[in-house]
């Protein structure tokens, strides 16, 4: 058995029924117990984005969100959506929506815990994330270390390096005939210049680049959708039908079963918005706020922006223009879609610029996530070694095959998510009790009855108070 076949089998195990049920089931659980919080409290969450910072921390809530978005808005929004639809058919987009909707509740829960259990490391920096709430909340230090190991693995071999660098390199080669080695060298130098300045410099770049690139890309998608508005309703109908019925082969599309649509849709959805993965809590822990619930609300908007808006826009452009059933794949497929609607030059350059910006900020965000996991494992030592390895992997990422990259990314993503989801389930009493306390306060809507927070482990008492 060759290496590629081995990874394919491992990916099928990691993203099998157990992981999918755990991932979606956790989101469903918190959606029900928090009474559709991602819908009911979305206006409040959006209003909190620009609330003045207060309390200890390194970044504003908006800065922490932009740092998290810098890691989530990346190739998943362009290449990931294209890959999902290419493999699973248009129905994969529906399952990305499902993963994102329930993922908003999961993102809220994990980022709430990040604030509640954050601490200060040996160097005086604010530190938080799944490794801390697993250790302090569950008392399972070994599971916290497992999460941190997989977190470093995702930074090194998953979302953080190969997928982003390869996408940038391919796009620059196709659009501007830039050799891969030139792109790799320039990208490595740029990443080194930003990330060596720490989380504040990363946040500074993210707060400037992320909103601008997201708005610009959405406007470009809207331009295509408005110009081809007659095809929107048929496209949505195709998405819904394909989500529950197999799609026959046609053109360059090999056909897809419903199971494949579900698997690819959820896996690519997680790759894109990272809900349940445990990465966003690492950035959320640095926010200058005293209220865990508020940061949880702010953080869940990241999934809303990333998947329910940006990925949806990309998916509809791919389906409406018909390129999803052609021979192209990845970034070339998205570029072909825009080219079909706006002309070859504008379409090609538009996707290239968007992809380079998206992927670059994702590299920055995951450099930070991986370093925090490394710091947890090494007790704050050998940071230079981590950064050196990370930069070397960036330099080599342009020369690895695309299919191998996505297999590696999916595997390490799934392995990282499992310990975090176990922690969310184990600490559900804390999440529910904190939510109950906050939303029961005057002026907070009262959707969840007020009560004092329950201690860790008092899950039944905490949960009973949330059931009306």
């Amino acid at each position: 058995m060759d290496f590629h076949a081995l990874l394919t089998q491992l990916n099928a195990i990691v993203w099998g029924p157990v992981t999918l049920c755990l991932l979606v089931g956790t989101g469903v659980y918190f959606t029900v117990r928090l009474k559709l919080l991602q819908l009911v409290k979305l206006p409040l969450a959006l209003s909190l984005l620009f609330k003045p910072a207060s309390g200890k921390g390194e970044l504003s809530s908006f800065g922490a969100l932009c740092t998290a978005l810098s890691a989530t808005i990346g190739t998943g929004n362009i290449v990931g959506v294209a890959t999902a639809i290419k493999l699973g058919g248009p129905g994969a987009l529906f399952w990305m929506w499902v993963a994102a909707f329930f993922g908003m509740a999961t993102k809220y829960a994990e980022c709430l815990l990040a604030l509640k259990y954050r601490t200060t490391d040996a160097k005086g920096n604010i530190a938080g994330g799944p490794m801390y709430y697993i250790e302090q909340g569950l008392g399972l230090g070994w599971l916290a270390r497992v999460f941190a190991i997989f977190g470093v693995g995702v930074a090194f071999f998953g979302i953080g390096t190969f997928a982003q660098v390869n996408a940038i390199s391919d796009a620059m080669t196709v659009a501007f005939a830039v050799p891969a080695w030139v792109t790799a060298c320039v990208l490595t130098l740029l990443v080194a210049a930003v990330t060596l300045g720490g989380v504040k410099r990363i946040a500074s770049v993210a707060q400037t680049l992320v909103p601008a690139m997201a708005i610009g890309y959405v406007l470009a998608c809207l331009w295509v959708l408005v110009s081809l508005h007659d095809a929107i309703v048929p496209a949505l109908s195709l998405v819904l039908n394909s989500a529950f019925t197999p799609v026959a082969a046609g053109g360059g599309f090999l056909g897809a079963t419903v199971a494949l649509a579900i698997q690819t849709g959820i896996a690519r959805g997680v790759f894109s918005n990272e809900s349940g993965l445990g990465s966003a809590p690492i950035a959320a822990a640095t926010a200058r706020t005293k209220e865990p619930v508020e940061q949880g609300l702010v953080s869940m908007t990241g999934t809303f922006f990333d998947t329910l808006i940006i990925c949806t826009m990309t998916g509809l452009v791919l389906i409406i223009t018909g390129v999803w059933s052609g021979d192209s794949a990845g970034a070339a497929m998205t570029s072909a879609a825009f080219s079909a609607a706006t002309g070859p030059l504008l379409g090609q350059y538009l996707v290239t610029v968007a992809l380079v910006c998206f992927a670059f900020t994702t590299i920055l965000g995951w450099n930070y996530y991986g370093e925090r996991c490394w710091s947890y494992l090494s007790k704050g030592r050998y940071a230079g070694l981590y950064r050196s390895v990370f930069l070397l992997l960036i330099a080599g990422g342009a020369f690895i095959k695309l299919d191998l990259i996505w297999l590696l990314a999916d595997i390490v993503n799934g392995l990282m998510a499992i310990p975090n989801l176990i922690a969310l389930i184990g600490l559900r009493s804390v999440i529910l009790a904190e939510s109950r306390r906050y939303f029961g306060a005057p002026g907070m809507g009262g959707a969840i009855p007020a009560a004092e927070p329950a201690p860790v482990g008092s899950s039944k008492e905490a949960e009973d108070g949330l059931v009306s």
Side-chain angles (χ1 to χ4, degrees):
M1 181 183 297
D2 61 20
F3 185 58
H4 187 278
L6 180 62
L7 288 180
T8 301
Q9 288 194 3
L10 181 58
N11 184 54
I13 295 172
V14 171
W15 284 102
V18 174
T19 301
L20 293 177
C21 290
L22 184 62
L23 191 65
V24 178
T26 301
V28 171
Y29 173 82
F30 284 114
T31 295
V32 172
R33 301 311 302 272
L34 294 171
K35 302 182 179 179
L36 292 174
L37 172 136
Q38 62 266 60
L39 283 181
V40 177
K41 299 302 180 183
L42 183 59
L44 172 61
L46 294 172
S47 72
L48 291 171
L49 285 174
F50 303 102
K51 180 179 179 179
S54 62
K56 296 180 179 180
E58 298 182 58
L59 307 174
S60 66
S61 291
F62 181 68
L65 174 64
C66 284
T67 301
L69 281 174
S70 73
T72 57
I73 299 179
T75 56
N77 300 86
I78 296 178
V79 182
V81 177
T83 305
I85 294 176
K86 187 69 176 178
L87 292 174
L93 183 60
F94 173 83
W95 295 108
M96 290 184 78
W97 294 339
V98 171
F101 176 76
F102 293 116
M104 288 178 70
T106 306
K107 182 73 70 73
Y108 163 82
E110 60 187 353
C111 291
L112 180 157
L113 291 177
L115 261 289
K116 183 169 181 61
Y117 289 101
R118 69 180 177 181
T119 185
T120 303
D121 64 18
K123 296 182 179 179
N125 298 318
I126 296 295
M131 49 278 199
Y132 293 94
Y133 56 71
I134 291 173
E135 179 182 353
Q136 298 176 22
L138 289 181
L140 299 176
W142 67 269
L143 188 61
R145 289 188 290 274
V146 168
F147 171 85
I149 290 170
F150 290 146
V152 173
V154 174
F156 280 171
F157 308 113
I159 301 174
T161 53
F162 295 160
Q164 315 304 327
V165 177
N166 189 274
I168 292 175
S169 175
D170 283 353
M172 292 297 291
T173 299
V174 172
F176 304 108
V178 177
W181 70 268
V182 173
T183 300
C185 290
V186 172
L187 190 58
T188 302
L189 291 174
L190 288 175
V191 171
V194 176
T195 58
L196 292 178
V199 66
K200 291 185 178 179
R201 186 179 295 176
I202 293 173
S204 177
V205 173
Q207 283 179 247
T208 302
L209 196 55
V210 168
M213 71 182 187
I215 292 171
Y217 183 73
V218 167
L219 289 175
C221 290
L222 285 174
W223 180 12
V224 174
L225 296 178
V226 169
S227 64
L228 301 174
H229 62 277
D230 292 340
I232 292 178
V233 173
L236 290 173
S237 177
L238 179 61
V239 169
L240 294 176
N241 289 333
S242 302
F244 302 99
T245 57
V247 182
F253 182 65
L254 300 178
T257 63
V258 173
L260 185 58
I262 294 173
Q263 181 185 9
T264 55
I266 293 178
R268 293 295 183 266
V270 172
F271 182 96
S272 178
N273 62 56
E274 300 177 15
S275 294
L277 196 62
S279 52
I282 299 174
T286 65
R288 292 198 303 271
T289 179
K290 299 176 182 178
E291 180 51 65
V293 169
E294 290 187 355
Q295 189 56 42
L297 289 170
V298 169
S299 296
M300 83 174 185
T301 64
T303 299
F304 174 76
F305 291 130
D306 178 273
T307 305
L308 294 180
I309 293 181
I310 299 179
C311 286
T312 296
M313 295 285 188
T314 301
L316 288 177
V317 168
L318 294 171
I319 295 168
I320 285 173
T321 56
V323 301
W324 68 274
S325 59
D327 294 324
S328 57
M333 180 174 162
T334 308
S335 181
F338 279 97
S339 296
T342 64
L345 283 179
L346 181 58
Q348 189 177 70
Y349 295 145
L350 173 68
V351 172
T352 299
V353 171
L355 186 59
V356 169
C357 290
F358 283 11
F360 178 68
T361 57
T362 298
I363 291 171
L364 299 182
W366 269 98
N367 179 286
Y368 174 70
Y369 289 160
E371 185 166 343
R372 296 313 304 165
C373 290
W374 178 279
S375 178
Y376 177 82
L377 292 169
S378 66
K379 308 300 182 184
R381 297 172 293 175
Y382 314 120
L385 176 60
Y386 168 84
R387 293 169 184 168
S388 297
V389 173
F390 189 89
L391 292 174
L392 284 173
L393 290 171
I394 289 176
F399 309 102
I400 302 176
K401 292 183 178 180
L402 184 64
D403 55 350
L404 181 61
I405 284 172
W406 285 100
L407 275 174
L408 281 171
D410 281 347
I411 290 169
V412 290
N413 286 356
L415 291 174
M416 181 179 177
I418 292 171
N420 182 55
L421 294 170
I422 292 172
L424 295 183
I425 294 170
L427 294 172
R428 63 191 182 280
S429 61
V430 179
I431 296 164
L432 300 178
E434 284 290 321
S435 303
R436 187 174 55 191
R437 170 190 59 79
Y438 179 84
F439 291 116
M444 288 296 104
I448 300 174
E452 290 301 314
V456 177
S458 301
S459 57
K460 188 176 188 307
E461 291 84 351
E463 291 173 21
D464 289 346
L466 283 168
V467 181
S468 57

